[in-house]
Amino acid sequence: MTWKERMHGWLDHRTGIETGVRNFLYEQIPASSGWHQVFGSVALFLFLVQAFTGALLAFNYAPTPGDAYNSLRYIMTEVTGGRLMRGLHHWGASMMVVVVVLHMTQVFLYGSYKKPREATWIAGVLLLLLTLAYGLTGYLLPWDNRAYWGTVVTTQIAAQAPVVGPYLLRLLGSQGDVGVVTFARFYGLHVLLLPPATGLLIVLHVYLVRKHGVAPAPGDEVRPRKKFFPEQVFRDTVAIFIAFAVLFVMAVVVRVPLEQLADPTDTTYIPRPEWYFLFLFQTLKLFTGPLEMVGTVVLPTLAILALVLVPFVDRGQMRKVTERAFAGAVLCLAAIGWAGLTVAAVVTTPKPAVAEQIDFSQPTDWLQLSPIELAGIGYFRQENCVSCHTVGDGKPKIGPDLASTTIHKTAAWMIQHFKRPAAMVPGSAMPPIQLSDAQLNTLAAFLLKLNARNAVALQSAPEFAAEGALLYQKSQCGSCHMVNGVGVKLGPPLNGLRRRRTEQWVEQHFQNPQALSPGSIMPPYKFTPSEMKNIVAYLFVLPD
Amino acid sequence: MEQVAEAAPQTTRRRFYLTFIYGLWGVISAALAAPALIYLFLPPRVRRESDWVEAGDITRLQPKTPVEVVFRKNRVDGWKVSSEKQTAWVVKLSDQQVVAFGPQCTHLGCAYHWEERSSDFLCPCHSSVFSVDGKVVSGPAPRPLDRYDTKIENGKLLLGALREPGSQKS
């Protein structure tokens, strides 16, 4: 015996760990086992990824409304690797739903739930429900508008359940409104109750799979059995790797939504659930009035019941998957129904308001700028200043870093410099900027505001806002109106306009102010369609 | 030799499986561990501490007469930004030079004050005495008073970070 063998022997003698692993890996599986049975392992892997990334997120997350939102923004904009971590957790949730459903589909198609595997199937159905419960409770935790209003709808639906509705509502802490209590309940469920429940059910599920063995296909009884390791483990590993690679790429590439801080007074917000709940959401719309309960409570309950009862209804002999035409047909119908409802929900989604399209996972300091400063960003981009200047971070370019040099200059100096660069800075290779004095003044206003701290944040201003502010400035709206505390109070201040008016109203008002507000002294404005779109969008994202 | 030749396809296939299993799990573990370590150990991107806080009009200062100035400064703590009250003793040493001292004695951190009669800073705790330019005159204080970074813009005094003398930026 080498020392290595002796060490293994010692450890195994005391813990039994080696025998355990060996028994686990060298389990006998049917000859027909193959690629179609990888989904269970992938689901388990994804659950572990969710637990891991969830714990890491919790290290930087404050679980109270308000702070929750701020800390999540902190994770996404300041913590190194935070954006990736939330991406993994967010898309991992979606992916887990997909993989769990694929797993169930495979088991259903092959009829693997048949006697004596009914309990395994029921544990699986419960795990599916738990997966959805994570999705539902986790949805509230960012505490942005999307989270808040989505949860308002969820709790309202729960309230409709006959008899238990009010109790359910009390349990969720939302008899009055969705607020601090609901938040604490959802957070508690999401991180304290659901994970151990899932863990226990997974253990039970896997134990039952082992107890009954992997379900054989007809014909397996006469073929020699295989070992789980290494061939099937190899297949599982490849499938897990593919799933993980897709998840990683999504986490890096696809934007994870974060909207503005939850605003319970924002009555214009149209809540949408996560994509995998859209079919339910659409089902609700089919039933109105007294029948509403059919969509909210009766149908979902029947669906879950049907899932649980599957192995008790289909009790025939094990047949080949190719001969299970009825199961295939049921599955196809379910898939078509699901897809149809989901597509219908997506198609009928109204265009989200502009404010919802702003990415709040990026710095949004530009929202606080006055119109003249924001318009300056428009000119800054038009003149393509960044082709010669760095702003804050990045490789040094031919011109000076504007974030650190502009602080010491005045607007007058800058305007002179823009007109005749070499006169102010001898030897400067900068070409003169061909803009009017008013426009140069605007550009200077932005540059004066710029410093090393806010450079990146200000540059993330979206195109429509910079263009809208530019038009606002050109049309001299500021001589009668106020935005972000800058301007004149002759007309109504424009912050909070989106609360008072619709976009359509504002568009018509631009064209003919007196028609909508008699006695107004505002002149009509003829904007091109794209100008109109930009300025209305800009006015509608202004903070309240 | 014959035996080895027979076993070969079986063992190469097994080796192929094992290589992939270990390799792929290695990649997955690394792709999870590396971001986790970065997330936990690399410092957050700080909103850079270049905040200059306005602390009053310097034209009102009399030469060599320290004034206690109270100002508010934002303190960034993770996702929390809180506004804190801070004080500084501001002295105009010459027309060109304005100095702002941190309000704590360098001995044990007591708040010192300006003594009009003797024209120096006196700490009431252990009688450390500092001259108007912050140097230790007597007492147990181990080093001169700490200073804020200062700059003057349009006659307004701006204060930056508080530093020990010596680590001063010019």
Side-chain angles (χ1 to χ4, degrees):
Chain A
M1 269 215 287
T2 64
W3 66 272
K4 210 171 160 189
E5 283 168 336
R6 236 178 317 180
M7 221 170 74
H8 281 244
W10 187 92
L11 194 68
D12 193 40
H13 198 67
R14 270 134 197 101
T15 61
I17 202 156
E18 282 215 24
T19 319
V21 170
R22 209 171 288 268
N23 285 345
F24 192 82
L25 288 180
Y26 290 119
E27 195 220 3
Q28 305 271 319
I29 54 173
S32 64
S33 307
W35 285 103
H36 57 281
Q37 277 144 335
V38 296
F39 298 112
S41 304
V42 180
L44 175 58
F45 169 76
L46 286 174
F47 172 69
L48 295 176
V49 170
Q50 289 304 92
F52 182 66
T53 51
L56 284 173
L57 285 175
F59 283 179
N60 277 316
Y61 175 79
T64 46
D67 266 357
Y69 180 78
N70 290 338
S71 57
L72 189 61
R73 278 199 73 177
Y74 168 75
I75 290 174
M76 295 193 74
T77 56
E78 289 174 54
V79 174
T80 324
R83 187 172 282 269
L84 174 68
M85 213 48 81
R86 187 188 177 219
L88 287 173
H89 198 69
H90 179 88
W91 296 119
S94 284
M95 197 131 173
M96 206 168 146
V97 173
V98 171
V99 172
V100 165
V101 169
L102 282 177
H103 183 42
M104 291 188 90
T105 307
Q106 183 268 319
V107 171
F108 182 78
L109 265 183
Y110 281 74
S112 312
Y113 46 71
K114 288 187 182 179
K115 185 184 153 188
R117 298 185 174 81
E118 296 95 331
T120 324
W121 169 265
I122 293 173
V125 173
L126 291 178
L127 281 168
L128 169 73
L129 296 180
L130 280 182
T131 308
L132 297 178
Y134 279 111
L136 212 64
T137 49
Y139 199 72
L140 179 62
L141 302 185
W143 198 255
D144 57 356
N145 244 350
R146 187 177 111 95
Y148 178 84
W149 289 104
T151 304
V152 167
V153 176
T154 311
T155 51
Q156 291 307 315
I157 289 174
Q160 292 197 349
V163 189
V164 292
Y167 299 100
L168 210 53
L169 209 54
R170 187 166 299 170
L171 196 64
L172 294 178
S174 38
Q175 304 100 299
D177 276 315
V178 171
V180 285
V181 181
T182 310
F183 186 93
R185 303 277 160 104
F186 274 48
Y187 179 73
L189 280 171
H190 194 81
V191 307
L192 285 179
L193 217 54
L194 294 181
T198 316
L200 279 175
L201 265 171
I202 288 175
V203 169
L204 177 70
H205 191 68
V206 174
Y207 163 75
L208 289 171
V209 170
R210 290 283 146 153
K211 179 180 162 60
H212 300 302
V214 172
D220 269 339
E221 52 279 7
V222 294
R223 292 157 74 192
R225 284 153 79 81
K226 300 192 287 192
K227 288 205 170 103
F228 178 58
F229 184 82
E231 199 184 341
Q232 189 63 27
V233 171
F234 164 76
R235 293 197 181 108
D236 286 358
T237 304
V238 170
I240 286 170
F241 184 79
I242 291 170
F244 182 68
V246 172
L247 172 59
F248 203 91
V249 169
M250 279 186 85
V252 172
V253 175
V254 190
R255 184 186 133 187
V256 179
L258 185 67
E259 294 180 3
Q260 66 184 64
L261 177 70
D263 178 1
T265 63
D266 186 351
T267 48
T268 60
Y269 192 86
I270 303 164
R272 309 293 292 182
E274 197 57 282
W275 65 266
Y276 43 82
F277 285 124
L278 275 180
F279 76 104
L280 272 178
F281 176 80
Q282 191 66 17
T283 314
L284 302 191
K285 292 196 207 155
L286 300 177
F287 302 95
T288 47
L291 283 178
E292 203 179 7
M293 219 176 67
V294 176
T296 52
V297 183
V298 178
L299 281 183
T301 312
L302 283 181
I304 295 167
L305 211 63
L307 270 183
V308 171
L309 288 178
V310 160
F312 302 100
V313 174
D314 176 23
R315 287 151 45 123
Q317 284 293 311
M318 207 53 156
R319 274 195 279 174
K320 275 194 189 158
V321 61
T322 45
E323 290 165 14
R324 288 174 51 82
F326 186 69
V330 169
L331 194 74
C332 278
L333 271 180
I336 290 169
W338 179 84
L341 287 168
T342 304
V343 168
V346 171
V347 171
T348 55
T349 303
K351 201 169 86 25
V354 208
E356 287 162 43
Q357 295 167 25
I358 300 173
D359 185 1
F360 278 84
S361 73
Q362 301 284 354
T364 49
D365 302 34
W366 59 269
L367 277 172
Q368 311 300 330
L369 291 179
S370 67
I372 185 169
E373 290 157 354
L374 192 54
I377 297 185
Y379 289 119
F380 186 74
R381 290 182 180 161
Q382 260 179 28
E383 298 299 320
N384 200 14
C385 304
V386 289
S387 61
C388 296
H389 291 284
T390 7
V391 183
D393 298 319
K395 268 189 298 191
K397 293 182 190 158
I398 185 165
D401 177 359
L402 294 176
S404 52
T405 51
T406 52
I407 314 169
H408 316 291
K409 308 288 195 274
T410 62
W413 185 94
M414 278 199 215
I415 291 168
Q416 288 307 315
H417 178 54
F418 293 150
K419 288 180 175 166
R420 286 178 300 134
M424 304 304 284
V425 180
S428 167
M430 177 168 140
I433 302 176
Q434 309 292 345
L435 290 174
S436 71
D437 274 13
Q439 290 167 330
L440 288 177
N441 189 40
T442 308
L443 182 57
F446 163 61
L447 291 175
L448 280 172
K449 189 81 181 180
L450 197 62
N451 62 43
R453 206 173 55 88
N454 64 14
V456 182
L458 296 185
Q459 288 181 88
S460 64
E463 204 55 47
F464 75 80
E467 291 296 319
L470 224 152
L471 189 60
Y472 181 96
Q473 207 53 31
K474 229 190 278 174
S475 314
Q476 300 182 343
C477 307
S479 23
C480 292
H481 290 283
M482 251 181 141
V483 161
N484 289 346
V486 178
V488 179
K489 266 192 184 155
L490 206 56
L494 296 174
N495 291 74
L497 183 67
R498 70 190 160 108
R499 293 244 184 273
R500 308 192 293 265
R501 304 292 181 195
T502 63
E503 291 179 29
Q504 206 189 1
W505 188 93
V506 173
E507 277 181 25
Q508 286 171 2
H509 191 269
F510 268 125
Q511 285 154 2
N512 187 356
Q514 282 69 33
L516 291 168
S517 21
S520 165
I521 57 159
M522 176 160 153
Y525 287 89
K526 295 263 176 290
F527 293 140
T528 66
S530 77
E531 284 178 333
M532 184 64 92
K533 218 178 99 217
N534 285 334
I535 195 158
V536 173
Y538 167 59
L539 294 177
F540 271 66
V541 297
L542 291 173
D544 295 330
Chain B
M1 280 303 279
E2 262 181 42
Q3 261 186 340
V4 174
E6 256 174 41
Q10 197 60 29
T11 45
T12 40
R13 173 177 279 208
R14 188 182 163 85
R15 191 169 308 139
F16 166 82
Y17 285 147
L18 288 183
T19 313
F20 262 82
I21 290 170
Y22 287 126
L24 293 181
W25 276 110
V27 174
I28 292 170
S29 314
L32 278 172
L37 292 176
I38 286 170
Y39 177 85
L40 291 174
F41 289 103
L42 286 194
R45 236 168 288 153
V46 217
R47 286 166 263 185
R48 267 177 270 178
E49 295 285 336
S50 61
D51 271 21
W52 290 92
V53 181
E54 221 177 276
D57 200 339
I58 52 157
T59 49
R60 294 201 196 148
L61 290 174
Q62 300 299 314
K64 305 240 168 173
T65 313
V67 177
E68 191 172 19
V69 173
V70 180
F71 58 98
R72 298 203 75 89
K73 189 161 188 165
N74 284 341
R75 197 164 71 93
V76 179
D77 173 14
W79 52 86
K80 255 200 151 84
V81 180
S82 36
S83 167
E84 282 182 345
K85 204 175 92 175
Q86 289 195 7
T87 56
W89 282 93
V90 177
V91 197
K92 189 163 163 185
L93 291 179
S94 66
D95 276 347
Q96 307 303 319
Q97 200 190 5
V98 175
V99 182
F101 298 112
Q104 293 181 317
C105 173
T106 53
H107 176 218
L108 292 173
C110 294
Y112 57 82
H113 59 262
W114 176 249
E115 282 286 319
E116 290 281 351
R117 279 168 302 170
S118 52
S119 287
D120 45 26
F121 293 111
L122 172 69
C123 177
C125 292
H126 304 93
S127 310
S128 287
V129 177
F130 303 89
S131 63
V132 72
D133 57 357
K135 295 205 181 78
V136 182
V137 176
S138 65
R143 56 185 161 81
L145 292 171
D146 298 338
R147 295 172 177 211
Y148 288 98
D149 288 343
T150 53
K151 72 177 180 183
I152 292 159
E153 245 171 48
N154 304 329
K156 293 260 172 23
L157 176 67
L158 300 181
L159 298 184
L162 183 64
R163 297 169 198 278
E164 279 182 27
S167 65
Q168 208 85 26
K169 280 205 285 188
S170 59

